[in-house]
Amino acid sequence: MSKSVLELTPVQAVACCSPLTKEPLSAEGAARIAPLLKALADPVRLRLLSLVASHADGEACVCDLNDAFDLSQPTISHHLKVLHEVGLLDRSKRGVWVYYRIRSEALADVGVLLGGVAR
């Protein structure tokens, strides 16, 4: 008999967690969520996420993003791939270009996780 293990993306793991202020995060939960926060902690990826989200129609192609950085197109594509893999961006291929769209529910889940923190 084979076992099926449910693997959650970092975004799905965040969606399953209650806000940090409600109960302590388990070690397993923290390990699942850390890649998402690590992806967001990189200045290039954070800026890419913002550029995609604020682009016309909330969607951008790598070709639209290259001029905003002093980086090569493969480097930009790598950062976009990381954001896609953790669940922050959706992507679709059209011809030779890949278009990225923000997953607003993913950002909302991160907001819920961090939300309610008193100053």
Side-chain angles (χ1 to χ4, degrees):
M1 225 176 179
S2 68
K3 266 190 180 178
S4 176
V5 176
L6 177 64
E7 295 214 15
L8 301 176
T9 66
V11 166
Q12 291 168 328
V14 167
C16 292
C17 294
S18 62
L20 295 175
T21 57
K22 284 216 174 202
E23 61 185 60
L25 192 59
S26 70
E28 182 181 283
R32 286 193 323 254
I33 294 168
L36 172 70
L37 299 177
K38 184 177 178 182
L40 287 172
D42 182 280
V44 171
R45 289 194 284 265
L46 188 58
R47 188 153 176 247
L48 278 169
L49 194 70
S50 176
L51 287 167
V52 171
S54 63
H55 203 267
D57 299 323
E59 174 177 84
C61 173
V62 175
C63 60
D64 298 324
L65 304 168
N66 282 338
D67 292 341
F69 298 91
D70 189 23
L71 298 169
S72 68
Q73 184 272 322
T75 300
I76 302 268
S77 292
H78 165 75
H79 286 295
L80 289 166
K81 179 183 173 189
V82 170
L83 291 169
H84 170 73
E85 286 176 346
V86 298
L88 291 167
L89 293 177
D90 283 329
R91 66 182 178 192
S92 61
K93 188 166 182 165
R94 297 182 205 150
V96 297
W97 295 109
V98 177
Y99 286 80
Y100 291 88
R101 177 174 290 282
I102 196 87
R103 292 190 65 231
S104 55
E105 67 276 8
L107 289 181
D109 289 342
V110 172
V112 168
L113 176 72
L114 300 175
V117 177
R119 291 182 180 222

